[in-house]
Amino acid sequence: MADIDEIDGVSDEEVEALTAGEVLQKLEEAWLNEKFSPELLEAKTDLVDCMLEQVTEMEENIKRAKKGDFKVVLHRMEIDRIRYVLSSYLRCRLKKIERYTTHVLEQESNRKEEDVCHLSPEEFTFAKEYGTTMETHMKNLVLRHMPPNLQTMDFKQTTIRPNLDSYVFLRVIEDTDGVLVEEETLDTGEEIVDLQKGDQHIMRYKPLSGLVMSGAVSLI
Amino acid sequence: SATVAGENGLFSGVQLRHSALERNKRCLLAYLYNRLEQIKKMRWEFGSVLPPEVKFNMCEQEVQWFSKYNKMLANYMRSIGGEGGLDLTQDLKPPKTLYIEVRCLMDHGEFETQDGNILLLKKNSQHFMLRSECEHLIRQGILEHIVH
């Protein structure tokens, strides 16, 4: 990526003091975390927007370059790769939104002001519309014909919730002490684990969700 | 009737009937939900126009749902990033090479590439094209990716 920087003269973005290479690396991290996490993580809209801008800039540069120049081939491959990572990341999020629609919307309505949003504004509109079309579809085809007391979509029974107890592989980025893995029950005591930088573990997702969002661990 | 006032003997009968009704409702909802999942998969495989054999098997409301889903998806994809958006139905696999060799399975006329070259897509002709340009033609079944 340093090669691309010097060829295109890509400068630091005004919003964050990150080079294009760093943005791509953060995007790849977010992509992998999203892929392996059972729940929908924070929306990294600034990374997506920034990367898309870079891609459009690179495409412009290609158009201006002389034909047959070897750099063009390299740039084209890089653009293909970046586009794949972006699309895969957004597709993964979309799939989770479609699967856990009511859960995601509930989470959003319970969110307090200070917490980061897990849905971008466009994703939020999509989630709401998807939920309503699904509900009206069921109403028109099935629920309309049922006896009167069964005509509502009972969301307590029908929502699909992500399985936060699934196991994930992770790599530790920052030293973290005192992660509460098992809570105290009648038979066993609490289990507290210290995570050292560079370690790789396989654990239940639930105690790690905060650490994944803060960037202290990354899923592999 | 759903209300039985004071008739203790009938409670278990009502409960049984109610559980049966709930189960039927659950089965119906599951059936419809799974059909919708299949229809969604078709949008990602075939694009926004459904082949007629598929459409024949869908009921009126499902066709309507499909067009609504199409619209929602298009709006979302258009809104990604600052301008233009990003077509998420492209780039479904990680790119291995920039150019790929393809064979034409049926006559498709002329095709202009990004560089301005014009290729004649005649049946059984082979071409060396940019992967990003011919991906959608491969998915439609017009071109076939040659792997050695």
Side-chain angles (χ1 to χ4, degrees), chain B:
Chain B
S1 146
T3 55
V4 183
E7 296 268 5
N8 289 344
L10 291 175
F11 273 176
S12 36
V14 168
Q15 195 150 4
L16 185 65
R17 182 168 177 271
H18 191 70
S19 315
L21 286 175
E22 294 253 295
R23 182 183 180 273
N24 289 347
K25 175 175 165 184
R26 215 181 70 214
C27 290
L28 285 170
L29 289 177
Y31 171 67
L32 288 180
Y33 181 75
N34 277 294
R35 280 181 71 90
L36 286 186
E37 291 284 302
Q38 288 291 4
I39 296 175
K40 249 197 307 177
K41 214 176 2 171
M42 306 244 166
R43 167 63 183 90
W44 288 86
E45 270 179 30
F46 294 132
S48 49
V49 178
L50 287 174
E53 322 82 70
V54 174
K55 214 160 169 191
F56 180 66
N57 286 333
M58 285 167 44
C59 72
E60 172 72 41
Q61 286 94 336
E62 285 172 339
V63 175
Q64 277 176 13
W65 186 87
F66 180 78
S67 68
K68 274 194 244 177
Y69 180 68
N70 231 347
K71 221 185 324 183
M72 279 193 284
L73 193 61
N75 280 336
Y76 173 67
M77 294 198 294
R78 214 183 350 240
S79 71
I80 304 174
E83 21 165 307
L86 182 65
D87 187 357
L88 295 179
T89 59
Q90 306 281 356
D91 307 304
L92 289 174
K93 293 213 186 70
K96 286 242 156 77
T97 56
L98 189 57
Y99 286 87
I100 53 174
E101 221 180 317
V102 290
R103 182 183 296 125
C104 218
L105 295 175
M106 57 184 89
D107 280 334
H108 193 61
E110 290 187 346
F111 181 82
E112 183 166 352
T113 66
Q114 255 175 27
D115 303 330
N117 299 330
I118 302 188
L119 298 169
L120 181 59
L121 299 178
K122 209 164 126 92
K123 183 165 176 186
N124 287 330
S125 63
Q126 285 183 209
H127 305 278
F128 201 53
M129 294 170 75
L130 268 178
R131 201 191 47 86
S132 49
E133 283 186 326
C134 50
E135 203 182 347
H136 71 282
L137 289 174
I138 294 179
R139 252 179 320 147
Q140 281 174 19
I142 297 173
L143 296 178
E144 177 192 22
H145 181 33
I146 303 175
V147 268
H148 296 289

Side-chain angles (χ1 to χ4, degrees), chain A residues 130-194:
Chain A
Y130 188 78
T132 21
T133 42
M134 187 68 94
E135 203 180 329
T136 33
H137 185 257
M138 295 300 178
K139 273 212 182 77
N140 286 336
L141 279 181
V142 169
L143 299 175
R144 207 158 40 105
H145 304 291
M146 301 232 95
N149 58 334
L150 289 174
Q151 274 188 1
T152 53
M153 272 293 274
D154 188 359
F155 285 115
K156 274 208 218 38
Q157 284 184 341
T158 55
T159 46
I160 306 177
R161 299 205 187 269
N163 178 18
L164 296 174
D165 287 329
S166 50
Y167 280 80
V168 289
F169 283 93
L170 61 122
R171 180 184 297 125
V172 183
I173 312 253
E174 288 164 15
D175 279 340
T176 319
D177 291 337
V179 177
L180 181 66
V181 173
E182 296 281 346
E183 281 167 5
E184 193 168 337
T185 63
L186 290 174
D187 302 324
T188 60
E190 308 184 301
E191 191 178 327
I192 300 195
V193 166
D194 291 338

